[in-house]
Amino acid sequence: MNELSAHWQLALAWLRDFPALWLVATAAVFLLADKAYRLSRHFPLCNPLLLSVAGLAVLLTLLHVPYADYFHGALPLHWVLGPATVALAVPLYLNLHHVRASLAPLSIALAVGGLTGIVSALLLGQLFGLSPASLISFAPKSVTTPIAMAISEHLGGLPALTANVVIITGIFGAVIVVPLMRLLGVRDLMVQGFALGVAAHGLGTARAVQLSETAGAFSGLAMGLNAVLTSLALPLILAVWPLH
Amino acid sequence: MLYGLTVLFAFLLAGEMIVRTAGLPIPGSVLAMLLLTAWLLLRRGVEPRVAKVSSGLMRYMPLFFVPAGVGVMDLGPQLASEGWSMLAVIVLSTLITLAVTALTLQWLLRRQR
């Protein structure tokens, strides 16, 4: 009996050091969360990313595993973010032809909307007394997660906070868009899609696709362009913004 | 698949190197995305092997954020003190951004017609 328990201890110690443990756990939790999302018929609060983060955070806390140990094991998945961000060029390219028909209105709306996203986050953040690091983490919140995290890290924010803020922003935007647009009297689905892409990135685009194919295309385009605009404009804005 | 991945990684490397060499304020991966977009515009089309890898990565995109996202568990004290303010900022800022973008575009399109 003692021998068995000694073997069990050895096996556990080996498992703790096995680098792929948290890789497997992350993928398995994500697949479960994705299943739950589909079973809930794409209910926004059952977003697979949100569920996975919550599930893993609970699991690690229960097992007394420090986040650094987990992150070290799951690092290969994190590394794929780089090439996945580069791959966003493909949908951006495929949607670019929509720009030509109304170049001026789309560029102006992008600039106004993109800057509103940054400035409103900074102003409201200061109004509600967020710390400077939180403010930087919030500023790119309307942009697609890999880019927002890269911007946040680059400028001295907290990438983990940014990732979650971006997701909650996307979920809220996707949930609120239809009632808000009804209230504002905006019926054009192309306009709704574009606004979703600027304000709520990929989650907004997923919602826009449900509204119509055109809305989806304009949303994907807006999301890509706003990522570019924000990564160029945010360093300049933060250079002059009184953070303290 | 290897070909497509190699292309993506080559652009990523180029982007990171240029950002570091020139000291640009944007993330290397974003510059890499722009470079690839420019390249696609130049060749007027997406090579099927690149398109395939790209759509495969898109399909599982949320999975790749999980390791970083779980880092929120280390932010407990900050969330306890700033959590509700954070939620208020997200809700209000998202409402404002959606409304301003939609109303601006609607107004401009009506003027154009």
Side-chain angles (χ1 to χ4, degrees), chain A residues 18-27 56 59-60 63 65 69-70 73-74:
Chain A
F18 184 60
L21 168 64
W22 295 115
L23 190 80
V24 174
T26 306
L56 282 162
L59 189 70
L60 295 173
L63 295 175
V65 175
D69 289 5
Y70 161 79

Side-chain angles (χ1 to χ4, degrees), chain A residues 61-137:
Chain A
T61 310
L62 288 178
L63 295 175
H64 301 289
V65 175
Y67 171 65
D69 289 5
Y70 161 79
F71 188 70
H72 182 73
L75 207 51
L77 283 176
H78 180 71
W79 277 334
V80 186
L81 264 185
T85 308
V86 184
L88 288 171
V90 175
L92 179 61
Y93 166 77
L94 293 176
N95 284 321
L96 265 181
H97 65 275
H98 291 292
V99 176
R100 278 172 208 131
S102 22
L103 183 61
L106 291 178
S107 329
I108 299 172
L110 168 74
V112 171
L115 293 177
T116 302
I118 297 172
V119 171
S120 65
L122 287 172
L123 279 178
L124 286 162
Q126 282 181 320
L127 188 70
F128 282 90
L130 297 190
S131 67
S134 301
L135 283 177
I136 298 174
S137 313

